[in-house]
Amino acid sequence: MRPELPSPHDPHLRQLRRMFLAVVTGSFLFLIPWIAYLSASLPTHRVVSQWKFAWVGFDVALIFAIGITAFCAWRRLQIFIPWAIITATLLCCDAWFDIVLDWNSNDLTGAVLTAAFAELPLAALLLYVARKMIRLTVLIAWHRAGRTGTVPPLSRLTLVVLAADENSRRQKPGGGTSRDDDDDHGDRDRGDDRGRDREGDLDRHPDGRRR
């Protein structure tokens, strides 16, 4: 028996969505003046005492993310998708800080080459594969929801479309429930079995042997 999908009109889900939108939108609005403040107040030169620890720690996190992503890919796990996006994001950050922080040093050429031929291509590959897997997941859910039209692009696909179709399919007109659907499926399966038995009978010789 399949679990019931939450309705997009559930008051609890609507309240969580409003809270989430408030936090994300508020963070976006807060960062705009904060960036302006930092651009005017931060010094152009600063000596730090934990430079090595900061970069080693970042690289450890990056290696961990790449390892988890590779493990999920080998095991064909669905959680590969968020880990691939996380790893790609870390690779882009690594390339950005390498180039910007080495801008006036002798290490700039190495930073640019590493970003151009290692970090950014790997990040692009991970994002491409993650998008392909998201698209495949949507296609499977789209067909299981009973929809036959063309699947819209991910940029125009809303979260409530598949859930609404699945709930409407499970809730039949006239008060039917998912148990009624399961009974209908069972009747169809039994009818198919009887049809296969009849085909088997027609496929036999009069003496009982199969042709």
Side-chain angles (χ1 to χ4, degrees):
M1 185 175 181
R2 294 177 297 179
E4 290 289 342
L5 293 176
S7 171
H9 304 292
D10 187 344
H12 179 65
L13 291 180
R14 293 171 68 90
Q15 180 66 22
L16 290 177
R17 180 176 183 272
R18 283 193 291 266
M19 293 176 58
F20 174 78
L21 290 176
V23 171
V24 174
T25 306
S27 301
F28 170 75
L29 295 176
F30 169 77
L31 284 175
I32 295 176
W34 179 251
I35 292 174
Y37 166 75
L38 291 179
S39 64
S41 61
L42 284 178
T44 57
H45 176 76
R46 172 174 290 180
V47 178
V48 296
S49 59
Q50 300 296 335
W51 178 267
K52 183 185 297 185
F53 179 78
W55 278 113
V56 171
F58 182 86
D59 287 339
V60 168
L62 179 58
I63 292 174
F64 177 80
I66 294 176
I68 294 295
T69 303
F71 173 79
C72 294
W74 277 105
R75 297 295 302 274
R76 300 180 180 179
L77 300 177
Q78 190 76 6
I79 202 174
F80 163 84
I81 297 174
W83 274 109
I85 296 174
I86 291 171
T87 304
T89 303
L90 292 176
L91 287 168
C92 291
C93 293
D94 194 13
W96 166 263
F97 285 111
D98 279 341
I99 293 175
V100 172
L101 296 179
D102 291 335
W103 191 259
N104 293 321
S105 69
N106 296 327
D107 298 329
L108 178 60
T109 302
V112 171
L113 292 176
T114 302
F117 294 102
E119 295 165 337
L120 295 182
L122 180 56
L125 175 63
L126 290 173
L127 291 176
Y128 174 79
V129 175
R131 184 187 181 279
K132 282 291 186 181
M133 290 193 64
I134 294 174
R135 183 69 178 176
L136 178 60
T137 303
V138 169
L139 287 173
I140 295 173
W142 183 270
H143 291 296
R144 287 185 177 179
R147 297 181 66 92
T148 57
T150 303
V151 181
L154 294 179
S155 59
R156 299 205 305 267
L157 183 65
T158 61
L159 294 174
V160 299
V161 170
L162 297 178
D165 287 347
E166 181 72 7
N167 282 327
S168 63
R169 190 164 64 93
R170 292 170 62 83
Q171 187 69 32
K172 298 172 60 178
T177 61
S178 60
R179 181 173 297 179
D180 298 331
D181 293 339
D182 294 338
D183 293 341
D184 293 341
H185 286 305
D187 294 339
R188 285 196 294 269
D189 292 339
R190 287 190 291 272
D192 293 340
D193 292 338
R194 288 194 295 269
R196 285 192 292 269
D197 293 339
R198 288 195 296 270
E199 291 175 359
D201 293 339
L202 293 175
D203 197 37
R204 295 177 182 273
H205 281 291
D207 58 359
R209 293 177 300 171
R210 284 190 176 275
R211 297 174 182 171

